[in-house]
Amino acid sequence: MPKDSGIGASSKRREDVRFLTGAGNYTDDINVHGQAYVHFLRSDIAHGRIKSIDTSAAEGMPGMVKVFTGKDFEGVGGMPCGWEVTDKHGAPMQEPPHPILAQGKVRHVGDPIAAVVADSLEQARDAAEAIDLDIEELPAVMNMKAAAQDGSTLVHDDLKNNICYDWQLGETDDAKVDEVFANAAHVTTLDLVNNRLVANPMEPRVAVGEYKRGTDEYTLFTTSQNPHVIRLLMCAFVLGLPEHKVRVVAPDVGGGFGTKIFHYAEEAFCTFAAKACNRPVKWTSSRSEAFMSDAHGRDHVSKIELALDTDNNFIGLRTNTYANLGAYLSTFSSSVPTWLHGTLMAGNYKTPVIQVNVKAMFTNTVPVDAYRGAGRPEATYQLERVVDKAARELGVDPIALRRQNFITQFPYDTPVALTYDTGDYNGTMDKLEVAADLAGFAARRAESEANGKLRGLGINCYIEACGIAPSNIVGMLGARAGLYDAATVRVNATGSISVMVGAHSHGQGHETAFPQVVADMIGIDESMVEIVHGDTSKIPFGMGTYGSRSLAVCGSAMVKATEKVIEKAKKIAAHLLEASEADIELKDGQFSVAGTDKSVAWGDVTLTAYVPHNYPLEVEPGLEETAFYDPANFTYPAGAYACEVEVDPETGQVTVEAFNAADDFGNIVNPMIVDGQVHGGIGQGIGQALLENCAYDENGQLLSASFMDYAMPRADDVPFYGVDHSSQTPCTHNPLGVKGCGEAGAIGSPPAVVNAVLDALNSGGKAVDHIDMPVSPSRVWAAMNS
């Protein structure tokens, strides 16, 4: 029977009440008395040298407060990168400055050149149009491979070339790798592109800066996934402000998908301008502005080779990738193609020799950083596409080939620096075969063929590394911040609880799932527990929400803090019951003496903690505890996905007819929330596979800068999903035994969709090895008729 409450129950998301009734409090809902508005004048060319900026006409416009240019930020720090990558020769990456407003050059369409602050947004826009710019247009660096070979055109003049780093992981002896491939019975090679994406959360980015001159205090309201990190970066690296004088508040945030992790120039600007203008300053991004200012995702060009022996065992894997970083280093961009991508190239398979090579490139495009999955989807896509192609070349069943090469013994040390603590890849595949009714696929294919359509089945296996950890290890790998998290559990006198967490909720359901954990531990109703997040003045220093880390990392800190609270409460209960602390048990909100009927309620103990008339002298009054948790390892969710598509041979139109996911997320706190997270991820993965593509022309002009040109998935583009997470191998190193679930759908779905399309085409007699994403009707039709 399903549980009614606590861990394992599908408690309804309490935050949905305010969202569905229009009572949410988003950053754009925040208006501070006397605020001014900022409009950014952005570059309309991809690459150019700024010869002059004349703001005199703008400064005389109605409602004008102040015009800012790059000169106003000379001596102010630029936007920092949070991860230093060392290349394969031991040299640090090339790290150019990233100014708040362009200084000397513009480097991508959308690069902010000037910021106009006025009494109204309309007045700011009008004044921006009056600014006279003289910019010498330069050739745009767009092709990554060409840019690596030709250093005549540089994105950054002070760098030696356009290569940020040339990085390698796994086997470093090239001769050994060459020997594995030379002696292989079969080698499968695949060239592919992981298309550039724009995250497009429901809520665009917003920043409101406020400065109180009387107390010399700043407040930044912003759409952020990690307010403490934003405060740290802005104070320590950008504006040089005293951290105790800066408050960062991220209220309700309408989706992030990674793009709201990063510290952006607009946040720093609004904070800086609030003092410079002596009044609050607000910026709200338009949707088209978001396309050219929010960090983009993916954009890899890769060649992958898989070597197999005579028995079809995987014996070697080699991959070479060009990763586009855009014009500047975003906050965590350097880590995505390296430690978040290369470390996952083993996948679910026991391949003994793996070599990963990555050249990260600067180009005249919007910066690229983490997008849902961040590196793991790129690795999975390469691996699962080449495995499928190998199965087709060898004439073997793609599921059987995967099963034959699955890792089955745990813990397992991969050749690419990770140790998988637990898993059951055959178990998730077993669940998938049943849930997706793979035995009935032949009949469904025949039915589609009778209707003039081609039906294909695509299989994918994935493994993800969530909750980046531990801090001392990632620090040695270049991370410039710890990756722990924190929670404070504050028990009120009447027994209700406020839990202040470092994680930030922007769709994950923390306000529902976190109380389930605390309430379950104590034995009280979930309604007695509230979650406080998103305000640096109220919460302990935490690292925010991304990388499917919230429950595994912040949830573990919350468990440890709750354990401290229970331990202290037992001392009080023992005093009240005149018993030994060792004999006190807590169950269903009652403290009792083991083996007796003597008990005292949770609420009586908590009241005693704050009204200590009868209280143990050696115990401090109050009941509040804080804990920090630094995980010992990643968590490793894994799964198997199946996609069925129909292809119209006349038009190339692809329809997703069925999609099933079998995931191993370890222990589950709220199954309904997990289902929703997987649904959302699969929808984004289908969008990448079939529809979405951020496109530039050869001059660096963004061709897909609105929803008219960027095809977001709609309801009729996705099917009803089948989701199963009953195959559970609990994580062995966190107290909840949980693994991340938020990114899995986006990792496992793109290769499943593409594999299904190619299976459909090959079943129809068309020998097609690969079609790059998005697998649009025109690309499918061209492949069928080439």
Side-chain angles (χ1 to χ4, degrees):
M1 292 289 292
K3 291 184 66 176
D4 295 327
S5 63
I7 295 175
S10 288
S11 300
K12 290 184 178 179
R13 288 180 19 132
R14 62 173 73 175
E15 49 266 73
D16 287 351
V17 174
R18 71 175 184 273
F19 295 148
L20 295 174
T21 58
N25 181 37
Y26 296 93
T27 308
D28 194 48
D29 294 324
I30 296 171
N31 293 289
V32 184
H33 177 70
Q35 74 187 16
Y37 298 82
V38 60
H39 176 76
F40 290 95
L41 177 63
R42 299 182 182 275
S43 175
D44 59 2
I45 63 172
H47 195 195
R49 184 166 286 107
I50 301 173
K51 301 179 73 173
S52 66
I53 305 175
D54 185 355
T55 63
S56 56
E59 290 166 354
M61 299 282 284
M64 174 56 51
V65 176
K66 187 173 176 61
V67 181
F68 295 84
T69 67
K71 287 186 177 181
D72 294 289
F73 292 91
E74 291 177 355
V76 174
M79 310 310 296
C81 180
W83 199 300
E84 182 182 55
V85 170
T86 301
D87 74 10
K88 64 184 182 183
H89 304 296
M93 66 187 186
Q94 295 199 94
E95 192 170 358
H98 183 180
I100 293 174
L101 296 176
Q103 297 178 355
K105 286 178 76 173
V106 292
R107 294 181 172 89
H108 67 86
V109 170
D111 208 358
I113 301 171
V116 181
V117 180
D119 291 335
S120 72
L121 180 58
E122 292 75 16
Q123 290 171 327
R125 287 172 176 164
D126 289 344
E129 291 182 2
I131 295 175
D132 186 15
L133 290 174
D134 184 4
I135 298 180
E136 175 192 358
E137 188 167 1
L138 302 171
V141 177
M142 300 302 297
N143 184 292
M144 288 189 285
K145 291 185 178 180
Q149 298 164 358
D150 178 15
S152 60
T153 302
L154 296 178
V155 177
H156 295 274
D157 296 339
D158 53 343
L159 301 187
K160 59 185 179 182
N161 53 40
N162 291 311
I163 303 173
C164 180
Y165 52 75
D166 186 353
W167 182 83
Q168 189 175 84
L169 184 67
E171 180 54 61
T172 59
D173 187 343
D174 293 346
K176 181 178 178 180
V177 178
D178 291 341
E179 183 180 2
V180 169
F181 279 86
N183 295 331
H186 183 86
V187 174
T188 295
T189 302
L190 185 60
D191 293 288
L192 45 79
V193 172
N194 206 296
N195 42 323
R196 179 183 280 237
L197 302 175
V198 181
N200 282 309
M202 184 182 297
E203 177 197 23
R205 289 192 297 114
V206 184
V208 183
E210 182 182 15
Y211 176 70
K212 294 182 180 179
R213 192 167 295 277
T215 57
D216 192 32
E217 292 177 331
Y218 299 80
T219 300
L220 170 67
F221 300 94
T222 183
T223 46
S224 174
Q225 296 177 220
N226 48 359
H228 264 298
V229 173
I230 300 305
R231 186 178 75 165
L232 173 64
L233 296 176
M234 189 164 61
C235 292
F237 300 101
V238 186
L239 300 181
L241 304 175
E243 197 170 359
H244 67 287
K245 291 290 188 178
V246 178
R247 175 190 177 202
V248 175
V249 182
D252 289 329
V253 171
F257 312 122
T259 198
K260 292 176 183 173
I261 298 172
F262 324 120
H263 183 30
Y264 286 96
E266 294 88 355
E267 294 170 318
F269 174 82
C270 287
T271 306
F272 178 90
K275 181 176 182 179
C277 298
N278 197 27
R279 59 190 291 189
V281 175
K282 182 173 185 177
W283 171 74
T284 300
S285 172
S286 68
R287 184 60 65 178
S288 289
E289 195 173 15
F291 271 93
M292 56 185 179
S293 66
D294 292 1
H296 294 169
R298 315 288 192 246
D299 205 353
H300 287 190
V301 176
S302 300
K303 177 180 180 179
I304 183 169
E305 302 167 276
L306 176 64
L308 302 92
D309 66 16
T310 53
D311 295 320
N312 294 340
N313 296 309
F314 300 169
I315 59 172
L317 185 77
R318 177 167 54 197
T319 174
N320 288 275
T321 291
Y322 286 87
N324 199 339
L325 297 178
Y328 302 101
L329 286 171
S330 179
T331 307
F332 290 113
S333 60
S334 55
S335 66
V336 175
T338 51
W339 298 110
L340 299 184
H341 161 248
T343 52
L344 270 297
M345 284 309 306
N348 308 64
Y349 310 110
K350 51 181 186 288
T351 312
V353 176
I354 300 176
Q355 186 183 77
V356 181
N357 300 279
V358 178
K359 282 188 174 69
M361 303 298 302
F362 292 111
T363 64
N364 291 119
T365 62
V366 172
V368 178
D369 209 317
Y371 170 72
R372 197 171 192 167
R376 287 88 91 195
E378 294 89 319
T380 300
Y381 184 65
Q382 288 186 60
L383 189 55
E384 290 301 304
R385 283 291 302 111
V386 79
V387 170
D388 232 52
K389 186 183 179 190
R392 186 171 295 114
E393 291 173 347
L394 293 166
V396 300
D397 179 76
I399 294 178
L401 182 61
R402 287 174 167 86
R403 284 186 182 273
Q404 175 181 338
N405 287 281
F406 277 160
I407 298 162
T408 56
Q409 300 294 319
F410 296 90
Y412 177 81
D413 293 327
T414 75
V416 279
L418 297 182
T419 298
Y420 302 164
D421 64 325
T422 184
D424 182 6
Y425 310 145
N426 278 302
T428 52
M429 184 62 79
D430 291 342
K431 297 283 186 181
L432 179 71
E433 292 202 41
V434 174
D437 184 24
L438 298 190
F441 174 72
R444 295 192 293 275
R445 170 173 275 175
E447 182 180 353
S448 294
E449 290 174 350
N451 294 323
K453 302 291 180 66
L454 303 175
R455 195 177 191 98
L457 170 65
I459 300 295
N460 166 73
C461 296
Y462 80 91
I463 186 168
E464 182 185 3
C466 302
I468 305 172
S471 293
N472 64 324
I473 298 298
V474 296
M476 289 188 289
L477 300 179
R480 289 167 169 163
L483 290 167
Y484 55 86
D485 224 297
T488 297
V489 176
R490 176 179 297 160
V491 182
N492 301 308
T494 54
S496 63
I497 300 174
S498 296
V499 183
M500 284 68 77
V501 295
H504 184 279
S505 182
H506 42 278
Q508 292 80 3
H510 294 174
E511 293 173 41
T512 302
F514 282 3
Q516 288 180 250
V517 174
V518 176
D520 195 86
M521 292 177 68
I522 297 171
I524 58 177
D525 192 271
E526 296 164 16
S527 63
M528 294 179 66
V529 183
E530 71 157 349
I531 302 299
V532 179
H533 66 97
D535 185 339
T536 59
S537 68
K538 297 179 180 179
I539 63 175
F541 192 103
M543 299 305 295
T545 294
Y546 44 86
S548 298
R549 70 190 303 271
S550 297
L551 191 58
V553 185
C554 188
S556 294
M558 186 174 64
V559 167
K560 290 184 173 294
T562 305
E563 288 173 342
K564 290 182 181 181
V565 163
I566 292 172
E567 182 181 356
K568 183 175 180 180
K570 282 184 176 181
K571 295 180 187 294
I572 302 171
H575 181 79
L576 293 175
L577 294 169
E578 298 180 335
S580 168
E581 182 186 339
D583 293 332
I584 299 298
E585 297 175 343
L586 174 60
K587 184 179 180 181
D588 298 331
Q590 293 281 328
F591 293 93
S592 61
V593 181
T596 75
D597 60 358
K598 296 174 64 176
S599 67
V600 62
W602 167 258
D604 293 330
V605 171
T606 62
L607 183 62
T608 301
Y610 290 95
V611 187
H613 297 153
N614 180 15
Y615 199 76
L617 295 177
E618 70 277 7
V619 178
E620 292 181 355
L623 201 51
E624 177 177 324
E625 298 288 347
T626 296
F628 287 78
Y629 177 74
D630 197 355
N633 192 0
F634 293 86
T635 70
Y636 298 101
Y641 287 8
C643 176
E644 290 187 30
V645 301
E646 274 193 345
V647 177
D648 186 336
E650 297 296 321
T651 65
Q653 179 66 44
V654 176
T655 304
V656 180
E657 296 293 324
F659 201 105
N660 283 273
D663 296 289
D664 173 7
F665 296 133
N667 294 333
I668 304 293
V669 170
N670 187 310
M672 181 184 68
I673 288 178
V674 171
D675 285 352
Q677 288 286 304
V678 176
H679 288 180
I682 293 172
Q684 286 187 273
I686 291 174
Q688 174 175 14
L690 297 180
L691 299 163
E692 299 181 48
N693 190 42
C694 180
Y696 286 88
D697 69 11
E698 66 276 8
N699 298 313
Q701 289 297 322
L702 184 58
L703 302 178
S704 52
S706 75
F707 289 150
M708 295 295 290
D709 305 297
Y710 187 92
M712 292 283 283
R714 302 181 181 184
D716 60 353
D717 291 312
V718 299
F720 286 97
Y721 309 114
V723 175
D724 180 284
H725 37 72
S726 60
S727 179
Q728 298 176 5
T729 60
C731 175
T732 60
H733 54 79
N734 69 55
L736 289 167
V738 296
K739 305 176 182 179
C741 73
E743 298 169 302
I747 295 169
S749 51
V753 174
V754 176
N755 286 343
V757 173
L758 295 174
D759 182 61
L761 300 189
N762 282 274
S763 73
K766 304 294 184 180
V768 181
D769 285 332
H770 181 67
I771 303 174
D772 275 325
M773 298 184 293
V775 185
S776 61
S778 61
R779 287 181 173 180
V780 174
W781 190 91
M784 294 179 69
N785 291 278
S786 62

